[in-house]
Amino acid sequence: MLIKIVEHIDLNEAYAYLQSPEAGAVNLFVGTVRNHSKGKDVVRLDFEAYDAMAIRQMEHIANEAFDKWPLVKLAIVHAVGAKDPGTPVVVIGVSSAHRDASFEACRFLIDELKKTVPIWKKEFYEDNSVWVNAHP
Amino acid sequence: MLIKIVEHIDLNEAYAYLQSPEAGAVNLFVGTVRNHSKGKDVVRLDFEAYDAMAIRQMEHIANEAFDKWPLVKLAIVHAVGAKDPGTPVVVIGVSSAHRDASFEACRFLIDELKKTVPIWKKEFYEDNSVWVNAHP
Amino acid sequence: MKVLLFGITREITGQSRINVPEHAGINTVKALKGWLGQQYPALRSLSSLAVAVDSEYAQDEDTLTPEQEIALIPPVSGG
Amino acid sequence: MKVLLFGITREITGQSRINVPEHAGINTVKALKGWLGQQYPALRSLSSLAVAVDSEYAQDEDTLTPEQEIALIPPVSGG
């Protein structure tokens, strides 16, 4: 599996890793910075990770996905640092013989990543900024 | 929408088209040539399209997807010609504000493409070849 | 009337385009399928065989005219 | 015992690492959370606050020792 935290997302690197003559299907999810959130204009995002734990937690969800579906390869790459709207911040990719597994595993991985992987996003608007999800 | 039939799939071109500051999610499905099918080794595939009708039918399913989900952009690119195992033959990509729509629309599009778009695949094994799905 | 052929139908007939003679009196999708099945019996062994008119799938009862672009669509297998 | 801080907990405390004095007698996750909540009341307003030990989520009753890598995990928001 390809699991890492980077400054900049490279979609080609992830795809090249996932490609295999045994796979007939590759599903890729790319999360990008939106220019609006809850009705406000977003001018920038800042991502911060607890690297060692983030890698460990990504490995856990990757192993869960390998247990649940017949996968060929799997990639989870998350970016950190300041990101402008339109920029990719996470790519999750899964290859498998048939497409059911790649779609389902990719969806599972992004859902789980958002729940358990220690990465934090601060949204900057015109006039202020907030750590997303921090308060009820 | 980006809809076309090409000699070679360019994942970057599709991703660049889909990326947008209004989108927070991009889902990409890449169909690739597997080196085995129904227990046999596949040495090559040949894809043939009825181009004008294939484009028209892709436009139909793209419009259906835009009607069903709140999408930002959508790409359907299919390759024709001789393809080796491991080679991408189709890429479907969808961007949307939130990830539900991109996953669901991407899955819908590849499922519908396989049912209605006039493209034909001939599998070459070591000793013979068949047009896939042609016979019961 | 001309009919375009692709994939296995092109291989079965050995042609990428068939001219249906006017005297055959073909003017519906159903009649065209019947006539082609007689000329090329191997077409009848396919899992399915559709007819497209001007890039859209046609129904058996649809009428055909020589100005249309008519094509035989064997089972598709893209993706 | 040292505690690593990230995101909003780093901003609330103004530090990326807190030293918990030995005399505070902290030896469980629950005790650590209680002590930190007293030192920095703003931590109590967060939607959730987990503790990680050696890169794994820990439970309230888990014991803590100074050799472990201990971290506060405010609500995550990656992806």
Side-chain angles (χ1 to χ4, degrees):
Chain A
M1 52 186 88
L2 174 71
I3 291 187
K4 58 182 181 172
I5 291 171
V6 298
E7 288 296 312
H8 301 289
I9 294 291
D10 181 345
L11 183 63
N12 279 320
E13 181 196 14
Y15 180 70
Y17 174 80
L18 296 166
Q19 204 170 20
S20 160
E22 282 143 56
V26 179
N27 193 261
L28 290 155
F29 174 80
V30 186
T32 62
V33 178
R34 272 203 307 155
N35 60 7
H36 55 282
S37 174
K38 296 172 188 118
K40 288 183 143 190
D41 285 346
V42 174
V43 294
R44 195 184 95 218
L45 287 189
D46 250 21
F47 282 91
E48 175 179 337
Y50 176 12
D51 287 37
M53 181 176 174
I55 298 289
R56 178 80 69 95
Q57 298 301 319
M58 288 177 187
E59 286 169 354
H60 285 330
I61 62 176
N63 287 330
E64 271 190 81
F66 272 112
D67 286 345
K68 282 175 191 273
W69 291 279
L71 308 180
V72 177
K73 290 183 179 174
L74 184 161
I76 307 176
V77 182
H78 204 295
V80 289
K83 303 294 164 199
D84 294 325
T87 313
V89 295
V90 61
V91 58
I92 292 184
V94 179
S95 55
S96 55
H98 302 286
R99 68 189 183 284
D100 276 353
S102 69
F103 270 99
E104 291 171 15
C106 190
R107 180 62 199 254
F108 168 82
L109 289 167
I110 182 63
D111 289 352
E112 292 300 306
L113 180 144
K114 284 173 174 272
K115 286 184 219 158
T116 65
V117 176
I119 296 177
W120 298 275
K121 169 163 61 185
K122 192 174 192 178
E123 282 183 349
F124 291 79
Y125 318 116
E126 292 291 344
D127 50 356
N128 66 332
S129 64
V130 298
W131 287 98
V132 176
N133 296 348
H135 293 104
Chain B
M1 51 185 89
L2 173 70
I3 291 185
K4 59 182 180 175
I5 291 170
V6 298
E7 288 298 312
H8 301 289
I9 295 290
D10 182 344
L11 183 63
N12 279 321
E13 182 196 12
Y15 180 70
Y17 175 80
L18 296 166
Q19 204 171 21
S20 159
E22 282 142 56
V26 179
N27 193 261
L28 290 155
F29 174 81
V30 186
T32 63
V33 178
R34 273 203 306 155
N35 60 6
H36 57 281
S37 174
K38 296 174 188 116
K40 290 183 142 190
D41 286 344
V42 174
V43 294
R44 198 183 94 218
L45 287 190
D46 251 20
F47 282 90
E48 175 179 337
Y50 175 12
D51 286 37
M53 182 177 174
I55 297 288
R56 178 80 69 95
Q57 298 301 319
M58 288 177 185
E59 287 168 354
H60 284 329
I61 61 177
N63 287 331
E64 271 189 81
F66 272 113
D67 286 346
K68 282 175 191 271
W69 291 280
L71 308 179
V72 177
K73 289 182 180 177
L74 183 162
I76 307 175
V77 182
H78 204 296
V80 290
K83 303 293 162 198
D84 295 326
T87 313
V89 296
V90 61
V91 59
I92 292 184
V94 179
S95 55
S96 55
H98 302 287
R99 68 189 183 285
D100 277 354
S102 69
F103 271 99
E104 291 171 15
C106 190
R107 180 63 200 254
F108 167 82
L109 289 166
I110 182 63
D111 288 352
E112 292 300 305
L113 180 145
K114 283 174 174 271
K115 286 184 219 159
T116 64
V117 175
I119 296 177
W120 298 274
K121 169 164 58 187
K122 192 175 192 178
E123 282 183 347
F124 291 80
Y125 318 116
E126 291 291 347
D127 51 354
N128 67 332
S129 65
V130 299
W131 286 99
V132 176
N133 295 349
H135 292 104
Chain C
M1 179 183 300
K2 295 187 190 94
V3 179
L4 303 177
L5 299 158
F6 300 92
I8 195 165
T9 62
R10 186 171 37 72
E11 287 193 0
I12 286 172
T13 62
Q15 299 169 75
S16 59
R17 171 184 292 230
I18 286 179
N19 284 299
V20 181
E22 214 179 309
H23 65 73
I26 304 301
N27 59 1
T28 66
V29 166
K30 188 174 184 174
L32 175 64
K33 284 185 186 173
W35 184 84
L36 286 165
Q38 285 183 322
Q39 303 288 313
Y40 307 97
L43 292 177
R44 297 184 202 156
S45 69
L46 299 176
S47 315
S48 71
L49 190 60
V51 168
V53 174
D54 293 337
S55 293
E56 301 290 358
Y57 285 98
Q59 305 302 314
D60 272 1
E61 58 280 12
D62 289 351
T63 56
L64 299 173
T65 64
E67 312 80 57
Q68 294 164 328
E69 183 168 297
I70 297 166
L72 270 194
I73 310 293
V76 302
S77 50
Chain D
M1 177 181 302
K2 294 187 189 93
V3 180
L4 303 177
L5 299 157
F6 299 92
I8 195 166
T9 62
R10 185 171 37 71
E11 287 194 358
I12 286 173
T13 62
Q15 301 169 73
S16 59
R17 170 185 293 232
I18 285 178
N19 284 300
V20 181
E22 216 180 308
H23 64 73
I26 304 300
N27 60 359
T28 65
V29 167
K30 189 173 182 175
L32 175 64
K33 282 186 186 174
W35 185 82
L36 286 166
Q38 285 183 323
Q39 303 288 314
Y40 305 97
L43 292 176
R44 298 184 200 157
S45 69
L46 298 176
S47 315
S48 71
L49 188 60
V51 168
V53 174
D54 292 338
S55 292
E56 301 290 359
Y57 285 98
Q59 304 302 313
D60 271 2
E61 59 279 12
D62 289 350
T63 58
L64 299 174
T65 64
E67 312 80 58
Q68 294 165 328
E69 183 167 299
I70 298 167
L72 270 193
I73 310 294
V76 303
S77 49

